[in-house]
Amino acid sequence: MLDEGLKTQLNAYLQNLRQPIELVASLGEDAGSKEMLALLKDVAGTSDKVSLNLAGNDARKPSFAITRAAGDAPQDKVGVRFAGLPLGHEFTSLVLALLHVGGHPPKVDAEVLDQVRALEGPFHFETYFSQSCQNCPDVVQALNTMAALNPNITHVAIDGALFKDEVEQRQVMAVPTILLNGQPFGQGRMDLEQILAKLDTGAVARAAEKIKTKAAFDVLVIGGGPAGAAAAIYAARKGIRTGVAAERFGGQVLDTMAIENFISVSHTEGPKLVSGLEQHVKDYDVDIMNLQKAVGLVPAKTPGGLIEVKLENGAILKSRSVILSTGARWRNVNVPGETEYKNRGVAYCPHCDGPLYKGKRVAVIGGGNSGVEAAIDLAGIVAHVTLIEFDNQLRADAVLQRKLASLPNVAVVTSAMTTEIHGDGAKVNGLTYKDRGSDETHRIDLEGVFVQIGLVPNTEWLKDSGVALSNRGEIEVDYRGETSIPGVFAAGDATTTPYKQIIIAMGEGSKASLSAFDYLIRLEPAQTAEQAAA
């Protein structure tokens, strides 16, 4: 099952086990069970601290639990289980689960670990994942870590492609889908802190109180995507007090599968790039405030005074300069049925959710690069793809269009305006579009709709701030990254800078930070953030 290279790597990782662990397998006679047995034998063979028990009797087969072999004390009761093969993107989840159940400490702040241990429960989590989903590992790893730390928490990660009947019964149409004690808990990427914030009702208030005690910053970056990370690094390197407030560190890049145009890196994936960004920022003295959504901005009352940023939790951050890098999100079609059937047949990530539509009929809305790439990817999984484009021709790169045209199970409809997404009350069953040339309407019977029609800047919170926005809601910036408000700069996909690319966002974030520093050193009289606050 595992090649020699992976076995060697796994052996090196498992040297960090502090106590014996046992893999308790529940297997049947199916092909999946045979593959799981081969995988577990390979894992157990890499360390004398890992044993294999084939006497499991879990109802889900194939599945296996990872338990501590030390004894029957409460702390030894660990509820970590995989139903299905944790390969592809989930292999790292398997390695981390082995280490954490085996006593190797997670790389998580001590305060967060204490918060996990204090949860009273009981909490039984179930997560549906697919091996091709880049969003799923964060959820699986977070919940496994929690289960390894707290005996009141259990978690089973379920491969939706292997347990199709269960997926159909529970109407799971997007991954990751998380259930808590049998009830819906969340969908999409969530990290450990986000999950904790939903479980620990006092966490938001405590975070707000902590933020209220913070001194004013010299540079405050709002947003933690490529532009925000670059801005924070460039500011911190100047030796000035720097903070980052981000609703989700990494932003939209976390949802990006393949990145092949980041110069000097032939290929990478969004989560991997974000991990590097976060570590690079942490190499400097930057105050990172994650899970903090900005809801308002108040300009300084006097030149060189403090700018205020209001957060959703009620706290207010102050800074002598601010860099806005809030990025963008996927644009909705805004037709009847889209909201009602979101994650019930309406999806936005073909890489994540595509495997759940194996053998089914789907539509992709959007004929740019994202839409055509989605159609190409889905064509290898689903029965049929209909690509719907509003314009009279596709806008994707020629090489992508040629690839699309070579696929036998793809139909392209241009000059088509989607007017409604239909469903039976539980899930999608069709789509209607209008031919823009003839005004005739057509219905397509299908099971899934993937929306790929561009981006919307995350700037609604700035509408009453005085920051000038374009008619598309983008922050208007000049060649230095300056906005219409002194001391407020902006960078990345939320701005009027053309070409929304990761590498451009990083460059613009760096430029905005250098402009902010230049602004600060030219203030009269020169002040530190602490002096300005006095």
Side-chain angles (χ1 to χ4, degrees):
M1 172 59 68
L2 299 180
D3 61 34
E4 291 304 316
L6 278 178
K7 288 180 182 179
T8 300
Q9 291 180 38
L10 188 58
N11 176 267
Y13 286 130
L14 296 186
Q15 297 298 316
N16 293 307
L17 291 175
R18 297 187 178 183
Q19 60 190 92
I21 59 176
E22 184 177 52
L23 309 177
V24 183
S26 300
L27 306 173
E29 299 299 325
D30 57 289
S33 292
K34 293 176 181 178
E35 286 186 278
M36 180 171 287
L37 178 59
L39 172 65
L40 297 180
K41 284 183 176 178
D42 283 348
V43 173
T46 60
S47 173
D48 57 6
K49 287 188 177 180
V50 181
S51 60
L52 177 57
N53 180 348
L54 301 179
N57 60 357
D58 191 79
R60 290 191 181 97
K61 294 181 175 62
S63 69
F64 67 95
I66 306 175
T67 66
R68 295 195 180 106
D72 296 323
Q75 62 269 25
D76 294 325
K77 303 297 183 182
V78 178
V80 175
R81 177 176 292 276
F82 287 94
L85 293 170
L87 297 176
H89 286 290
E90 293 299 341
F91 185 71
T92 300
S93 301
L94 170 62
V95 174
L96 291 174
L98 295 168
L99 290 173
H100 296 160
V101 174
H104 185 66
K107 292 183 178 179
V108 179
D109 291 343
E111 184 178 345
V112 174
L113 296 180
D114 289 340
Q115 193 177 350
V116 172
R117 295 187 183 100
L119 293 172
E120 295 183 0
F123 300 115
H124 175 57
F125 287 99
E126 298 166 286
T127 301
Y128 290 89
F129 71 89
S130 71
Q131 292 184 13
S132 62
C133 170
Q134 77 273 19
N135 292 325
C136 295
D138 276 5
V139 174
V140 172
Q141 290 166 24
L143 291 170
N144 282 346
T145 298
M146 294 172 68
L149 291 170
N150 188 329
N152 298 318
I153 301 172
T154 62
H155 178 231
V156 53
I158 307 160
D159 186 346
L162 193 60
F163 292 87
K164 294 181 181 178
D165 291 343
E166 190 173 324
V167 165
E168 290 287 343
Q169 180 184 357
R170 286 181 153 177
Q171 298 182 355
V172 175
M173 304 191 73
V175 290
T177 289
I178 313 164
L179 302 180
L180 171 58
N181 298 334
Q183 300 299 314
F185 178 79
Q187 285 182 317
R189 180 187 295 275
M190 296 179 72
D191 60 24
L192 181 53
E193 292 181 57
Q194 288 173 299
I195 294 170
L196 274 175
K198 292 191 70 172
L199 294 175
D200 185 353
T201 56
V204 173
R206 291 197 301 272
E209 289 302 316
K210 185 176 180 180
I211 288 173
K212 289 177 181 177
T213 66
K214 293 182 181 293
F217 293 95
D218 290 308
V219 172
L220 175 62
V221 181
I222 308 300
I233 290 169
Y234 267 71
R237 285 174 61 84
K238 295 296 186 180
I240 56 181
R241 180 167 165 74
T242 304
V244 176
E247 186 175 357
R248 182 178 70 149
F249 195 93
Q252 194 188 34
V253 177
L254 282 167
D255 303 324
T256 303
M257 180 63 175
I259 299 171
E260 298 177 342
N261 56 0
F262 191 75
I263 310 306
S264 84
V265 180
S266 298
H267 176 87
T268 189
E269 296 177 352
K272 183 177 179 180
L273 178 60
V274 169
S275 178
L277 287 176
E278 187 170 14
Q279 185 54 56
H280 198 172
V281 174
K282 287 181 177 178
D283 287 343
Y284 295 93
D285 187 15
V286 176
D287 188 343
I288 300 176
M289 295 159 281
N290 200 16
L291 306 184
Q292 301 302 325
K293 182 178 181 179
V295 295
L297 183 144
V298 179
K301 296 178 180 178
T302 58
L306 293 177
I307 302 159
E308 295 185 355
V309 174
K310 299 179 180 179
L311 302 180
E312 188 175 50
N313 62 16
I316 295 176
L317 291 168
K318 298 180 180 181
S319 182
R320 296 169 67 213
S321 66
V322 170
I323 299 174
L324 305 172
S325 57
T326 47
R329 63 188 183 276
W330 289 115
R331 185 183 299 276
N332 292 323
V333 188
N334 292 321
V335 298
E338 181 180 22
T339 300
E340 293 87 334
Y341 291 103
K342 184 176 181 181
N343 294 322
R344 294 192 294 161
V346 176
Y348 300 84
C349 180
H351 303 292
C352 302
D353 301 333
L356 298 177
Y357 295 84
K358 184 176 181 180
K360 298 181 179 180
R361 302 161 297 177
V362 304
V364 173
I365 301 176
N369 281 349
S370 296
V372 172
E373 287 173 353
I376 292 170
D377 288 343
L378 290 166
I381 301 171
V382 305
H384 189 269
V385 180
T386 302
L387 180 66
I388 298 174
E389 166 56 31
F390 183 84
D391 203 350
N392 60 7
Q393 61 183 359
L394 299 182
R395 294 166 287 108
D397 295 341
V399 63
L400 294 175
Q401 293 193 44
R402 288 195 294 271
K403 174 64 176 176
L404 185 73
S406 72
L407 301 174
N409 62 335
V410 176
V412 177
V413 182
T414 56
S415 295
M417 181 174 70
T418 302
T419 56
E420 186 173 358
I421 296 172
H422 306 283
D424 60 8
K427 55 187 177 182
V428 165
N429 62 17
L431 175 148
T432 296
Y433 70 87
K434 183 176 73 171
D435 186 315
R436 295 175 56 235
S438 65
D439 281 341
E440 294 180 1
T441 59
H442 304 269
R443 175 181 166 122
I444 306 172
D445 292 329
L446 43 71
E447 289 75 42
V449 178
F450 288 82
V451 180
Q452 302 280 290
I453 57 171
L455 303 172
V456 177
N458 297 316
T459 58
E460 292 87 350
W461 65 285
L462 293 170
K463 287 183 178 178
D464 297 323
S465 67
V467 174
L469 303 176
S470 72
N471 57 8
R472 299 180 54 162
E474 297 172 325
I475 303 169
E476 294 183 352
V477 293
D478 65 10
Y479 70 100
R480 293 168 53 87
E482 295 176 326
T483 73
S484 57
I485 295 179
V488 178
F489 304 81
D493 287 1
T495 73
T496 51
T497 299
Y499 312 120
K500 312 305 184 185
Q501 299 290 314
I502 293 171
I503 198 164
I504 292 174
M506 287 183 173
E508 292 296 305
S510 305
K511 180 171 69 177
S513 191
L514 292 172
S515 296
F517 180 71
D518 185 68
Y519 164 81
L520 291 173
I521 62 176
R522 295 176 187 278
L523 289 176
E524 292 290 347
Q527 295 176 319
T528 65
E530 287 79 1
Q531 289 171 332

